[in-house]
């Protein structure tokens, strides 16, 4: 099969021998996007305009700090703070006049989970009705992230590439099914894209095979974590560790994804 950009990435992920090929891709994608944001792109006005509007989630804000580009972070945060501060004052002005003045509250963006929660009793808390638009706007600002947005678009294309390669690349399928599979978090995404993109006959072929791959590797990880515990028994102090030395972090990854043992991703000096 003729190699394309995404098929090369997908094949590299399987070749990596990781506990989850999609965790491997996600980490690579995240690090590339962090380098992009804190590289020279922060001096480009169109990029700064987008980062000022969308901001960053808690996870990526921490990654940006750990990355270590103080000047890059400062420029991005300066523009973001200006945008947030300006909108906050608009929301405050609406809060002051919304109850009995002539101005209307500034319409809030769609809020996240916490923005939809209501006080006990089903109504607004006494004396707090006018603060609802401000609260909704604040919550909505937690619901978007520039890096997450860039990653999500590419990740969806990676999932589509995965299905394409299942259909068209027997060598890839052999390597995938002989490997360590994927974590449960990303397996759910794979099931979703298979249901969306595969015909019913193809689903009946591929979903059981992928589920069996996942089950086999869950058993493998179960054996590793079980043996790690057994090694702490004094009777096994001289026994071989087998594959259990890093069983805790690999079990965590298999269950929820990501890399709990990874050090902070930092700027290469």
């Amino acid at each position: 099969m003729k190699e394309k950009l995404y098929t090369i990435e997908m094949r590299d992920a399987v070749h990596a021998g990781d506990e989850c090929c999609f965790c491997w891709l996600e980490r690579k994608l995240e690090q590339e996007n962090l380098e992009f944001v804190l590289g020279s792109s922060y001096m480009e006005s169109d990029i700064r305009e987008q980062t000022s509007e969308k901001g960053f989630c808690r996870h990526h804000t921490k990654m940006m700090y750990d990355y270590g580009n103080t000047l890059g972070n400062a420029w991005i945060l300066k523009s973001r703070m200006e945008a947030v501060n300006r909108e906050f004052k608009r929301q405050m002005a609406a809060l002051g006049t919304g109850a009995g003045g002539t101005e209307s509250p500034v319409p809030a963006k769609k809020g996240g989970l916490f923005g939809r929660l209501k006080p006990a009793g089903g109504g607004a808390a006494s004396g707090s009705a006018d603060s609802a638009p401000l609260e909704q706007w604040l919550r909505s600002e937690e619901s978007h992230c520039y890096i997450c947005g860039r990653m999500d678009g590419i990740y969806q294309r990676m999932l589509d590439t995965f299905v394409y390669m299942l259909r068209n690349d027997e060598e890839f399928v052999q390597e995938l099914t002989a490997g360590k599979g994927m974590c449960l978090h990303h397996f759910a995404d794979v099931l979703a894209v298979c249901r969306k993109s595969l015909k019913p006959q193809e689903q009946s072929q591929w979903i059981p095979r992928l589920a069996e791959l996942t089950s086999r590797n869950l058993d493998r990880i179960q054996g590793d974590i079980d043996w790690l515990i057994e090694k702490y028994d004094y009777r096994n102090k001289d026994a071989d560790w087998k594959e259990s030395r890093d069983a805790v972090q690999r079990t965590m990854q298999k269950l929820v994804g990501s890399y709990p043992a990874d050090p902070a991703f930092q700027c290469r000096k």
Side-chain angles (χ1 to χ4, degrees):
M1 187 182 76
K2 186 176 180 181
E3 295 280 23
K4 300 179 181 179
L5 176 61
Y6 290 132
T7 61
I8 293 172
E9 294 271 26
M10 197 72 244
R11 192 181 302 281
D12 287 347
V14 173
H15 283 166
D18 198 271
E19 286 295 343
C20 175
C21 54
F22 284 100
C23 282
W24 188 90
L25 282 169
E26 192 173 61
R27 177 173 62 183
K28 183 174 184 290
L29 186 59
E30 187 170 55
Q31 291 177 354
E32 288 173 350
N33 275 279
L34 195 68
E35 288 183 321
F36 171 79
V37 168
L38 288 171
S40 58
S41 69
Y42 69 80
M43 296 303 295
E44 299 177 15
S45 59
D46 59 328
I47 301 298
R48 286 262 296 286
E49 183 177 345
Q50 293 178 57
T51 58
S52 298
E53 176 187 356
K54 296 180 180 178
F56 302 91
C57 64
R58 287 186 179 186
H59 169 67
H60 287 127
T61 298
K62 179 62 165 64
M63 284 193 73
M64 289 166 63
Y65 177 81
D66 288 338
Y67 187 73
N69 183 346
T70 301
L71 181 59
N73 271 299
W75 272 110
I76 291 169
L77 293 171
K78 168 185 164 62
S79 298
R80 173 63 176 160
M81 182 61 77
E82 287 172 350
V84 170
N85 202 4
R86 183 168 55 249
E87 181 61 21
F88 187 86
K89 286 177 171 53
R90 290 182 64 228
Q91 294 284 344
M92 280 188 65
L95 179 65
T97 59
T102 57
E103 298 181 25
S104 300
V106 178
K109 301 175 185 176
K110 183 179 180 181
L113 169 64
F114 294 105
R116 296 194 298 270
L117 295 179
K118 295 181 179 179
S126 176
S128 65
D130 290 343
S131 68
L134 178 59
E135 178 187 348
Q136 290 169 8
W137 171 73
L138 289 169
R139 295 305 187 189
S140 75
E141 289 301 295
E142 299 175 348
S143 68
H144 45 73
C145 169
Y146 178 76
I147 294 178
C148 287
R150 281 179 59 93
M151 288 177 60
D152 285 347
I154 300 175
Y155 178 63
Q156 290 303 317
R157 291 194 287 274
M158 288 293 188
L159 286 169
D160 291 337
T161 300
F162 179 83
V163 171
Y164 173 80
M165 294 179 77
L166 285 183
R167 284 171 160 165
N168 298 283
D169 192 334
E170 184 57 34
E171 181 182 352
F172 170 78
V173 171
Q174 291 176 1
E175 293 173 350
L176 174 71
T177 54
K180 296 180 179 179
M182 58 203 76
C183 70
L184 296 180
H185 171 80
H186 287 119
F187 183 50
D189 292 342
V190 167
L191 289 176
V193 76
C194 284
R195 286 191 296 102
K196 180 189 76 171
S197 303
L198 294 177
K199 297 176 182 178
Q201 184 178 358
E202 292 175 312
Q203 291 182 35
S204 65
Q205 173 190 0
W206 286 113
I207 290 178
R209 289 183 67 178
L210 294 171
E212 194 281 328
L213 170 66
T214 303
S215 177
R216 185 173 73 245
N217 282 285
L218 289 176
D219 290 342
R220 174 179 56 81
I221 292 288
Q222 183 76 65
D224 291 344
I225 198 73
D226 288 350
W227 181 243
L228 174 64
I229 293 170
E230 291 297 322
K231 267 294 293 176
Y232 279 85
D233 188 319
Y234 73 95
R235 291 169 294 186
N236 296 319
K237 64 183 180 67
D238 296 324
D240 194 322
W241 282 90
K242 301 180 184 179
E243 301 297 322
S244 69
R245 289 186 183 274
D246 61 347
V248 167
Q249 52 263 48
R250 288 189 295 109
T251 303
M252 288 178 175
Q253 182 186 0
K254 211 66 168 178
L255 289 171
V256 299
S258 189
Y259 296 90
D262 267 6
F265 180 60
Q266 295 181 319
C267 180
R268 292 185 281 269
K269 304 299 183 183

